Amino acid sequence: MYRFLLTPRWWGINVFVLLAIPFCVFMGSWQLSRFEERVEGHRNAGAQAEANEREAARPLAELLPVDKATSGRQATAIGRYDRQLLVPDRELDGREGYYVLSMLRTDAGKALPVVRGWLPGDPDPAKVPAAPRGEVTVTGALQASETPGDNGVSAQGGLPAGQTAAISAASLVNLVPYDVYDAWVTLDKGDSGMKAVPAAAPPDTGLDLKAFQNLGYTGEWFVFAGFVVFMWFRLLRREVEFVRDAELGLVPDEEPVAVDAGVK
């Protein structure tokens, strides 16, 4: 009765099933591991943030390039403030406002973007306190360059002069006539009465939408594996029923082939 499993048609079906099930299980397991990594990263990020607050500040050069291990650590740099920019559409404590971003020219020849603080409302250069003059030493949490359109960072273009949507070297290098570090610092204490901007967790460490997408994809891949098994058994059952009916002579004869309408 099951000799039909050796036909070319069923060989193709069986090979597809034998390849599809392990592939779906592998992909589901991989997505689950990605979710578990994000959960673990979320736990470690909280502990790391507390450790960073207690850790003494280190020179900027010792912490570059920014990665998960150095993001959020206290960095210090010496230089002179130069160009000042505003970063609109930034929320803090449930209120809309903007960051005040000043470029710190260092002796290395590059500029370090420094978020001096946050102000409520729409960006208004007239309301922004001037940056300190002369040589200054800044201390704050080191952050990786932002990616426009990711993690709530606006990808809006065509902003007024003196504004930038993202704090990133790729964006700022087009706005200032000197090289920019691929990192930025948010001051521990807001400058000139502005509110300090808290450090963000390193990328891919929070329980954000991407984390739950990984969890959803995990379920989808396992459902696909189950669906493949279900369809294989359904096809097998239909084939067995057809063979049984044929053995009992219950399979209906084929419809007679139509003849020329002129033949009676």
Side-chain angles (χ1 to χ4, degrees), residues 82-88 98-103 113-117 123 128 160-164 166 171-173 175-176 178:
D82 188 74
R83 182 80 180 276
Q84 186 159 272
L85 301 166
L86 306 182
V87 187
Y98 55 98
Y99 293 169
V100 176
L101 178 70
S102 298
M103 308 301 292
V114 177
V115 173
R116 295 171 49 228
V128 177
Q163 295 187 22
T164 180
S171 300
L172 295 172
V173 74
L175 301 176
V176 295
Y178 35 76

Side-chain angles (χ1 to χ4, degrees), residues 121-214:
D122 296 326
D124 185 355
K127 296 180 180 179
V128 177
R133 295 181 177 275
E135 188 174 82
V136 296
T137 299
V138 300
T139 301
L142 186 65
Q143 301 279 265
S145 287
E146 298 178 332
T147 302
D150 192 23
N151 293 330
V153 177
S154 174
Q156 179 183 359
L159 293 174
Q163 295 187 22
T164 180
I167 308 174
S168 70
S171 300
L172 295 172
V173 74
N174 298 316
L175 301 176
V176 295
Y178 35 76
D179 292 335
V180 179
Y181 282 104
D182 191 18
W184 57 284
V185 164
T186 175
L187 297 183
D188 296 332
K189 296 180 180 179
D191 195 6
S192 303
M194 294 182 287
K195 283 191 175 183
V197 176
D204 299 330
T205 57
L207 292 179
D208 53 10
L209 179 60
K210 288 185 177 180
F212 290 102
Q213 282 179 338
N214 290 134

Side-chain angles (χ1 to χ4, degrees), residues 10-102:
W10 271 93
W11 266 108
I13 294 174
N14 293 335
V15 169
F16 171 79
V17 170
L18 291 175
L19 293 176
I21 293 176
F23 177 76
C24 291
V25 172
F26 170 78
M27 292 300 296
S29 301
W30 180 75
Q31 290 288 352
L32 181 60
S33 69
R34 292 287 296 160
F35 174 74
E36 292 174 343
E37 286 177 7
R38 289 177 182 273
V39 171
E40 186 65 24
H42 179 68
R43 293 172 181 167
N44 294 338
Q48 185 64 42
E50 294 180 1
N52 290 339
E53 292 178 358
R54 298 191 299 268
E55 188 180 62
R58 295 168 58 186
L60 175 67
E62 296 181 8
L63 299 175
L64 296 177
V66 185
D67 54 23
K68 289 185 179 181
T70 60
S71 178
R73 288 194 173 185
Q74 294 294 301
T76 182
I78 300 174
R80 296 173 180 271
Y81 281 122
D82 188 74
R83 182 80 180 276
Q84 186 159 272
L85 301 166
L86 306 182
V87 187
D89 302 324
R90 297 303 175 109
E91 185 177 306
L92 185 63
D93 297 332
R95 300 174 63 191
E96 288 293 333
Y98 55 98
Y99 293 169
V100 176
L101 178 70
S102 298

